Amino acid sequence: MIIGVLREAQTGETRVAATPATVVQLLKLGYEVVVETGAGDASSFADEAYVEAGASIGDPFDADIVLGVNQPAAQQLDQLRQNATLIGILNARLDESVVADLTSRPITALSMDAVPRISRAQSLDVLSSMANIAGYRAVVEAAHVFGRFFTGQVTAAGKVPPAQVLVAGAGVAGLAAIGAAGSMGAVVKATDPRPEVADQVASLGGSYLSVESADVEVSATGYAKEMSDDYNTRAAALYAQTVPDIDIVITTALIPGRPAPTLLTAEMVASMKAGSVIVDMAAGSGGNVEGSVAGQVVETANGVTIIGYTDLAGRLPAQASQLYGTNLVNLLKLMTPEKDGMLVLDFDDVVQRSITVVRDGESTWPPPPVQVSAAPAAAPVEAKEEVVKKERKPLTPTAKLGAVLGAGLLLVLLVAASPAVLQGQLVIFALSIIIGYYVITGVHHALHTPLMSVTNAISGIIVVGALLQIGHDGTLITILAAAAILLASINIFGGFAVTRRMLAMFTRS
C-alpha cells in the first residue's frame, strides 16, 4: 500500500506528518511513501531529504493511506480516493461537523487526538507529545518577554533573585514547563486538582500547592475533571494569595470537550507586579486567564503581559514533526502486524476502535468508553483497605514485651546448648542485630540506597574471614569459604559501583 504525506493547508501550520527519519521506518513496514511537494519546508525538511530517505515526491491523494497533521481542507478531502484511510488530528471530539463531513465520504478516518490514555497506547499519544513540546515552549516564550534572569545570581553589581514561576495544572504540559523553568534556575510552584501529581512535581524540583477540598481525588481517566464550586472557591483564594508574588504564571488547565476553566480573574492579574508574564496555554479553548486573546499577546494596564499563543508546539516545528511522525509510525506498526505494507483495522483492539471516526463511510463516533484507570471498584477497595488495616495493626505493649522476652529466652537456651567457643560469638551476633536494626531504621528512607551501597562494601570483613578458612582441613570448609569470598566480593564491587553512580548524579558535566 502507498502512504501519502500532505502539505498542511491550515494557515500558520509549520508541522508535517512525516520526517525523513520516520519515512525510513514506514518503508521498513513494507509501505511506499509519497510526499507532497514542499510538505516539509516549514519544518526545515527539504524534498531532497525525503528522496534520500527513500520516499518519492508526488501526488499524495492517490495513496491508500493519507497522513496529515490537522483536518485537511474541503478541497483536499474531495481529492481523496475511494476507500482511502485518512489519519490526522481531526478534533472530532470538539467539532461535530467534522464527523458529518467525513461520514459523507467513502473513506476511513482515524483521529490521533482520540488515543485513549492507557499504558500500551502511550507511544501513540499525540496530545501528550504536543503538550510536552508546548509546555517547554511556553517557558521559552515567557523568558523572551520577561525582563530578568530566571536563575538567581550574586554579581559584583548586586544580587539578582531567582524568578518565581507558578504552573497551574501539572499534566504533561505543566510538568514540561516545571522541568524547563526549574532547569533555568527559577523557583517553581505548581497546582493541580489531582493529588497524585504532587510527587511528580517534587521530582522536578517544584513545590506542590494543594487545595484542601473534599472534591480532590485520584484521576480515573488521566485527565483533570471539572471541579465543584467548593474546590473552585478554594483554588481562587489560593491563586489570589499566591500570584501577587509570582513573576511568571503558566496555565495549562483543559478539560477534553469543554471550555477551559477560568483560573485567574482580572483582579488577580491586576494584583501582579509590572513586568510579570502570563502564558495562557488554554487560550484556544476559551482561556484560563481573564483577558487573554487566542493567538495574541496582550499587555494589561498594570504592565502584565498575557501570551495567548495557540501554536506553541508548532513553534518548534522540526521537533514537533518528529514526535508526531513517530506517533504515526507507532500506530502503523500496530495496524501492520505482518509488516507487509498492508493496513489492518482491528475493532477488537480498544486503541484502534477509539480513534476510528468513520469506517468505510459509516460513522463510528463516538467510541465506547475506555476504562483507563487500574483502580478496582469501590467495594473491593474498601475490603482491601480493611485487610491492610488489620495486617498493619500495631502490637500492644504487652505483645511487644512478650516478643522480646520470648526472643531473649530463645537466645539464652541457644547459648546454653552451644559450645563454649561459640557462646561469645552468639552474644556478639545478637548485639550486632540489635544495633544494626536501630541504626538502619533511624535513617531517612531517601538515604537507604546510598547507605546500603556503603554498607555492602563492608562485606570485606567476610572476605577476610573466608580467606582465613581456606587451607584448613576439610574440603567442605574450603568450598564454603570460596563461595563466601565470591559472593562478598560481588557485594563489595557492587556497593562501590552504586556509590559512584549516585555521586555522579550530583556532578555537573
Side-chain angles (χ1 to χ4, degrees), residues 106-269:
I107 63 172
T108 296
L110 309 180
S111 187
M112 292 298 294
D113 56 306
V115 172
R117 285 199 163 177
I118 58 178
S119 297
R120 70 182 185 89
Q122 289 180 352
S123 62
L124 320 176
D125 192 349
V126 168
L127 295 182
S128 293
S129 298
M130 297 301 103
N132 181 31
I133 297 174
Y136 172 85
R137 184 68 190 194
V139 175
V140 174
E141 295 292 342
H144 176 68
V145 176
F146 189 53
R148 293 195 285 109
F149 290 135
F150 265 48
T151 184
Q153 293 188 8
V154 178
T155 70
K159 182 179 180 181
V160 179
Q164 301 288 324
V165 177
L166 174 65
V167 179
V172 176
L175 292 174
I178 293 169
S183 66
M184 294 174 67
V187 176
V188 186
K189 301 175 182 178
T191 65
D192 195 280
R194 297 164 294 180
E196 68 265 29
V197 305
D199 290 338
Q200 300 175 41
V201 172
S203 69
L204 293 171
S207 300
Y208 178 70
L209 304 180
S210 62
V211 178
E212 301 299 332
S213 172
D215 195 34
V216 174
E217 62 180 27
V218 175
S219 172
T221 63
Y223 295 96
K225 65 175 184 177
E226 189 171 8
M227 307 306 292
S228 67
D229 292 339
D230 175 69
Y231 177 88
N232 292 333
T233 300
R234 294 172 183 264
L238 177 64
Y239 288 129
Q241 179 183 0
T242 306
V243 296
D245 299 322
I246 297 296
D247 299 306
I248 295 170
V249 178
I250 298 174
T251 63
T252 70
L254 277 174
I255 301 173
R258 300 184 183 180
T262 300
L263 303 182
L264 301 186
T265 63
E267 291 76 12
M268 296 178 191
V269 175

Side-chain angles (χ1 to χ4, degrees), residues 289-467:
V289 182
E290 190 174 352
S292 67
V293 179
Q296 298 184 23
V297 177
V298 177
E299 185 170 347
T300 65
N302 61 317
V304 176
T305 302
I306 304 176
I307 300 174
Y309 294 148
T310 58
D311 61 343
L312 288 169
R315 289 173 178 262
L316 291 173
Q319 185 67 74
S321 298
Q322 181 60 46
L323 291 184
Y324 179 65
T326 301
N327 291 140
L328 291 175
V329 168
N330 291 331
L331 173 64
L332 291 171
K333 285 180 179 179
L334 177 65
M335 300 179 67
T336 317
E338 302 299 328
K339 296 184 179 180
D340 55 356
M342 298 302 296
L343 191 73
V344 179
L345 180 57
D346 181 10
F347 260 32
D348 291 331
D349 181 1
V350 66
V351 176
Q352 298 181 46
R353 175 64 187 90
S354 296
I355 66 175
T356 305
V357 180
V358 175
R359 184 179 189 180
D360 297 329
E362 296 183 6
S363 175
T364 58
W365 193 262
V370 178
Q371 179 64 32
V372 301
S373 174
V381 168
E382 293 175 359
K384 183 178 180 180
E385 288 178 353
E386 290 178 1
V387 173
V388 172
K389 289 179 181 178
K390 290 179 180 178
E391 291 177 353
R392 296 183 179 180
K393 186 176 181 180
L395 294 175
T396 63
T398 304
K400 289 182 180 180
L401 179 60
V404 172
L405 292 177
L409 179 61
L410 179 62
L411 179 61
V412 170
L413 293 175
L414 184 61
V415 172
S418 303
V421 179
L422 188 60
Q423 290 179 0
Q425 296 180 357
L426 284 174
V427 173
I428 294 174
F429 177 69
L431 291 175
S432 64
I433 290 177
I434 296 172
I435 295 173
Y437 171 79
Y438 283 105
V439 169
I440 298 299
T441 55
V443 175
H444 190 274
H445 65 86
L447 299 178
H448 278 178
T449 300
L451 175 66
M452 293 305 296
S453 69
V454 176
T455 54
N456 285 347
I458 303 176
S459 299
I461 299 172
I462 299 175
V463 173
V464 174
L467 286 172

Side-chain angles (χ1 to χ4, degrees), residues 2-8 15-19 22-23 26 29 31-36 39 60-61 63-72 76 80 84-90 110 112 324-332 335 343:
I2 301 174
I3 293 178
V5 180
L6 294 179
R7 181 177 58 195
E8 295 301 309
R15 295 170 293 178
V16 63
T19 68
T22 63
V23 164
L26 295 174
L29 292 175
Y31 294 103
E32 297 180 31
V33 181
V34 178
V35 180
E36 188 172 3
F61 298 102
D64 305 288
I65 305 165
V66 178
L67 305 182
V69 178
N70 303 292
Q71 181 194 7
Q76 290 179 309
L80 294 177
T85 299
L86 172 66
I87 306 177
I89 304 175
L90 305 179
L110 309 180
M112 292 298 294
Y324 179 65
T326 301
N327 291 140
L328 291 175
V329 168
N330 291 331
L331 173 64
L332 291 171
M335 300 179 67
L343 191 73

